[in-house]
Amino acid sequence: MPVTAIVLAAGEGTRMKSHHPKVMHKVLDKPLAWWVVDAARKAGVDRIVLVVGNGADEVRSYFADEKDVEFVEQTERLGTGHAVRVVRDALGGFAGPVVVLNGDLPLVRPETISSLVDATRTGHNACTLLTMTPPDVSGYGRVLIEDGGVRAIIEDKDCTPEQRATLLECNAGAYCFCGERLSTNIDKVNNDNAQGEYYLTDMVGIYAGMGEPVSAVHCDDYEELLGVNDRVQLAQVTKIMQHRINEGLMRSGVSMLDPDQVWVGPEATVGKDTVLLPQTFLWGKTSVGEACTVGPNSRLENATVGNNCTVDETVIVDSAIDDDVNCGPRAYLRGHTHLLRGAKAGTHVELKNSVVGEGSKVPHLSYIGDTQMGAGVNIGGGSITCNYDGVHKSHTTIGDGAFIGSDTMMVAPVNIGAGAITGASSCITHDVPDDALAIERSQQKNIEGYAIARRERLGIKPRK
């Protein structure tokens, strides 16, 4: 039977003190709910249902391109049991195992979710819940286990002193239900409590009273099941995930001078013998090849980096560099820029929506936008393509082997031929033929003695 996962993401998360829903706050570069959805997907779940409520539009928008994610809106937030009932009504009932996960469990592993499903199927359980034993159990619901079965979940505030001291197994907020029995019995959950809400945890006691089998799967790594209720806890789980990812990279052959100062998102990949220096961020679908040095102070987002590259104090967004490329320090590549093999983008260089040919160099203090550049081109310092007239973006073409003198303004649209040279401090407004020299300057005029007369007029002491 197919497995359904329900991810509870409708809560307000008031302790986050935010205009955004709690599940949209990020661990590394992904929202809390993304991690849970991704873990469910990797666990082999067939159907993923995201329960939205507070900030529903923001959550829907983020997951809009996730074709295997469905949305059910809980317009009235009346508790976790109510959320599951809303999903049942929307889907017309459940069939097969139903995994229910809180949307703020970003550290849960796919293997743990799979173990819940396996235990439910093997034991023909009505419910299997995930448990843990954290160092500090205060605040957690305690799991009462008798005769090998789970009898109840007792909230911390309802525990007797003896229970508080002896019941150390805690509810982690993750369950797997038999779908058919859940469809039939979810309506038995009532809201007879101080909050007036329907709690999914009540299903444990209901099933126990019916004689239905309820069991627990213990997770040895309690950190895997840490939830997020405020920004302090968000930082704590982010640090754990940072260490988890960085350790995996280092074991695969990546070096880090200080792993605490490297942040790598879950979709990024890094090749062996690459060094990630402090204050490096690899976000999105970034791919870094082998034998590269990235950092310090570099951010790559949806970037592709070849082999043997240096990325020093550089930001690369939605762009690619091929093998043997050198960037930085303090370079900025964006807007689908592409540097071909052996190219260079140097100090204080910005490249936007441009192709830089093999071995071409933009060494320093330049802006190149909307440009197709050939091989072996040298761009002198302080040169820019004037590609925007306030309304339209225009294109510049620079041929193979061209030499652009320092402080050249290339006013697009303009074509500079192969092997052409532009004189320093020229404003190029017309096409330049192959192998030509283009120079545009007003005539220099020297006025002898002007500086002496000026100092006398202003009462400035004569120059010694």
Side-chain angles (χ1 to χ4, degrees):
M1 295 291 286
V3 180
T4 300
I6 300 172
V7 179
L8 304 178
E12 295 186 19
T14 54
R15 280 181 276 177
M16 299 299 289
K17 293 180 170 45
S18 174
H19 296 296
H20 303 282
K22 178 174 73 171
V23 296
M24 292 306 294
H25 287 264
K26 291 184 176 181
V27 170
L28 299 176
D29 67 331
K30 297 293 184 180
L32 287 165
W34 181 92
W35 293 92
V36 184
V37 168
D38 186 64
R41 183 184 293 125
K42 290 176 179 175
V45 166
D46 301 285
R47 192 175 194 181
I48 301 173
V49 180
L50 203 55
V51 182
V52 296
N54 179 56
D57 290 344
E58 184 176 345
V59 180
R60 286 178 187 271
S61 176
Y62 184 88
F63 288 95
D65 294 332
E66 306 281 350
K67 302 304 181 185
D68 59 345
V69 176
E70 305 172 49
F71 302 95
V72 171
E73 185 159 0
Q74 187 185 14
T75 53
E76 289 185 280
R77 266 78 77 190
L78 302 178
T80 52
H82 176 257
V84 172
R85 194 171 70 197
V86 168
V87 174
R88 179 205 59 185
D89 295 345
L91 302 185
F94 300 119
V98 176
V99 177
V100 181
L101 301 164
N102 287 337
D104 65 349
L105 291 177
L107 302 175
V108 66
R109 297 179 188 270
E111 299 82 2
T112 302
I113 297 173
S114 296
S115 69
L116 271 179
V117 176
D118 292 343
T120 301
R121 283 173 164 160
T122 301
H124 303 286
N125 295 334
C127 174
T128 308
L129 63 150
L130 199 58
T131 64
M132 61 177 177
T133 308
D136 182 4
V137 299
S138 60
Y140 287 100
R142 312 299 172 79
V143 180
L144 178 62
I145 300 176
E146 295 177 347
D147 300 324
V150 177
R151 298 300 172 220
I153 298 174
I154 306 171
E155 295 303 322
D156 181 67
K157 62 180 180 298
D158 297 326
C159 287
T160 65
E162 181 183 1
Q163 289 173 329
R164 190 169 285 112
T166 60
L167 295 181
L168 303 180
E169 200 78 1
C170 297
N171 178 34
Y175 316 85
C176 185
F177 293 92
C178 165
E180 291 82 357
R181 281 176 278 184
L182 181 63
S183 293
T184 301
N185 295 298
I186 188 65
D187 291 316
K188 294 179 181 177
V189 175
N190 63 52
N191 64 344
D192 186 17
N193 52 63
Q195 287 73 33
E197 294 187 354
Y198 301 86
Y199 294 125
L200 188 61
T201 51
D202 290 349
M203 287 301 303
V204 172
I206 290 170
Y207 279 140
M210 295 170 61
E212 291 279 8
V214 179
S215 69
V217 171
H218 178 80
C219 182
D220 292 332
D221 180 9
Y222 78 94
E223 287 186 340
E224 184 180 338
L225 304 175
L226 293 177
V228 175
N229 291 303
D230 58 30
R231 295 177 192 258
V232 173
Q233 293 174 339
L234 181 68
Q236 291 169 345
V237 300
T238 297
K239 179 60 69 175
I240 293 170
M241 184 59 76
Q242 176 196 19
H243 285 170
R244 184 189 292 182
I245 290 175
N246 288 357
E247 182 176 325
L249 288 172
M250 289 187 288
R251 293 190 185 282
S252 72
V254 177
S255 291
M256 300 181 190
L257 181 63
D258 184 353
D260 282 334
Q261 295 193 67
V262 173
W263 293 265
V264 180
E267 296 179 309
T269 60
V270 186
K272 64 184 180 181
D273 294 322
T274 284
V275 179
L276 302 180
L277 295 175
Q279 297 302 311
T280 289
F281 302 81
L282 306 182
W283 293 153
K285 297 182 184 297
T286 289
S287 172
V288 179
E290 297 183 356
C292 296
T293 299
V294 182
N297 305 320
S298 295
R299 175 170 62 89
L300 281 61
E301 184 172 346
N302 298 320
T304 301
V305 177
N307 300 321
N308 303 303
C309 293
T310 298
V311 181
D312 181 6
E313 289 190 75
T314 292
V315 175
I316 305 177
V317 180
D318 298 324
S319 297
I321 63 176
D322 293 349
D323 296 349
D324 305 311
V325 167
N326 191 312
C327 293
R330 293 174 293 283
Y332 181 22
L333 282 58
R334 62 185 177 93
H336 306 290
T337 285
H338 186 185
L339 272 65
L340 277 59
R341 187 184 187 100
K344 175 182 176 64
T347 308
H348 297 297
V349 165
E350 180 177 0
L351 302 174
K352 171 254 179 185
N353 190 32
S354 296
V355 175
V356 179
E358 287 196 22
S360 291
K361 298 179 180 179
V362 189
H364 42 254
L365 300 166
S366 295
Y367 167 73
I368 303 295
D370 300 304
T371 297
Q372 181 75 36
M373 188 185 304
V377 173
N378 187 85
I379 305 293
S383 297
I384 71 169
T385 55
C386 308
N387 58 315
Y388 183 50
D389 63 4
V391 179
H392 303 105
K393 299 287 180 69
S394 297
H395 198 76
T396 297
T397 301
I398 304 174
D400 293 347
F403 183 90
I404 307 301
S406 296
D407 198 31
T408 294
M409 305 293 106
M410 292 162 277
V411 182
V414 68
N415 298 313
I416 297 174
I421 300 172
T422 67
S425 194
S426 293
C427 182
I428 305 301
T429 58
H430 300 288
D431 290 353
V432 181
D434 292 354
D435 300 313
L437 168 65
I439 184 166
E440 184 278 330
R441 298 178 187 151
S442 58
Q443 184 176 0
Q444 181 173 322
K445 182 179 181 181
N446 296 333
I447 302 175
E448 296 289 341
Y450 174 83
I452 296 173
R454 179 178 180 271
R455 285 194 291 268
E456 290 176 350
R457 185 173 67 252
L458 296 176
I460 301 174
K461 291 181 180 180
R463 180 175 59 87
K464 292 182 179 180

